[in-house]
Amino acid sequence: MSTYHGTSVPRHLYHGIPPGWRAEQIVAEHARLGGGFALDIPAPVEIESPYALPGQKGWLHYRSTVHRLAEGVRAGDAACAELAIRYIELHYIGSHAGYLRARLASALKQATLDAGQRRRLHDHFAALCLRGEWTHEFREYFRLWRRIAHPSELEGVLAAIRALPEGERRAARLASRLGMKWATKAAMP
């Protein structure tokens, strides 16, 4: 059993594949979205272990396919970018998922995103910050967020965080991570 922010995550979920994200499902959705980048890769040989869980079957193929999504984003495939955003929004808590989200966020920094996609990412990052869920992939999220959000949107998030308990400290930390100047309440007129 793993835990995430005090919530228990059962082993079969933590070491499993998020629903709807099996390799063949990713490839099918990519095709439905009109993607042209070749995502379909041969399934890797998975070694059976006495500790293997039923939901793990296909885990390496899923992971490799999500890696290919990042390559597709870098190649300019709009369908890969959309799927990368969906994966980040999914916020699946599982083995290797944070690393995959970081790779996708890194790739999205150079992608051409429409206003709706930028808004979805901004709203997702803001919600995570408001809940205090800063996982290790936030290093890449901050880099992406600075590129896609308007300063007034970021200032709105900072103001909302400032209103929370311990908010002044959290807002100052977030402003620092986003490369923004932040005046404390005491320094404001």
Side-chain angles (χ1 to χ4, degrees):
M1 181 88 52
S2 297
T3 60
Y4 175 74
H5 285 270
T7 302
S8 296
V9 179
R11 185 171 179 246
H12 73 280
L13 293 177
Y14 186 80
H15 295 287
I17 299 169
W21 287 90
R22 298 193 77 69
E24 60 276 4
Q25 292 170 312
I26 297 169
V27 171
E29 183 62 9
H30 179 259
R32 192 187 73 70
L33 292 170
F37 187 78
L39 283 184
D40 203 8
I41 55 174
V45 176
E46 298 195 38
I47 300 169
E48 290 297 323
S49 158
Y51 305 105
L53 299 166
Q56 278 184 301
K57 188 85 171 131
W59 187 83
L60 290 175
H61 200 197
Y62 139 77
R63 187 179 80 175
S64 298
T65 305
V66 176
H67 279 273
R68 287 287 292 164
L69 274 180
E71 293 170 25
V73 171
R74 285 188 177 93
D77 187 284
C80 285
E82 174 60 28
L83 289 171
I85 292 167
R86 290 181 190 180
Y87 190 84
I88 288 171
E89 288 175 317
L90 176 67
H91 195 61
Y92 181 73
I93 303 304
S95 178
H96 206 66
Y99 172 75
L100 293 172
R101 286 191 300 271
R103 272 187 74 121
L104 294 171
S106 178
L108 284 167
K109 287 185 299 192
Q110 305 305 319
T112 302
L113 304 176
D114 65 35
Q117 290 171 323
R118 289 191 306 273
R119 166 59 49 196
R120 286 168 42 210
L121 285 168
H122 167 74
D123 290 348
H124 179 67
F125 298 153
L128 291 173
C129 286
L130 285 165
R131 290 193 309 260
E133 294 186 37
W134 283 19
T135 49
H136 81 276
E137 65 270 17
F138 253 89
R139 180 178 179 154
E140 291 299 330
Y141 285 0
F142 289 136
R143 292 174 180 155
L144 173 58
W145 204 3
R146 281 191 300 257
R147 291 178 187 260
I148 63 168
H150 189 273
S152 65
E153 293 174 310
L154 298 175
E155 288 165 7
V157 174
L158 291 171
I161 290 174
R162 177 181 252 168
L164 298 172
E166 300 271 334
E168 188 67 32
R169 183 182 55 80
R170 287 176 54 198
R173 182 175 172 223
L174 178 59
S176 171
R177 296 290 172 96
L178 290 170
M180 300 174 70
K181 295 189 187 309
W182 184 253
T184 63
K185 282 184 182 176
M188 296 180 87

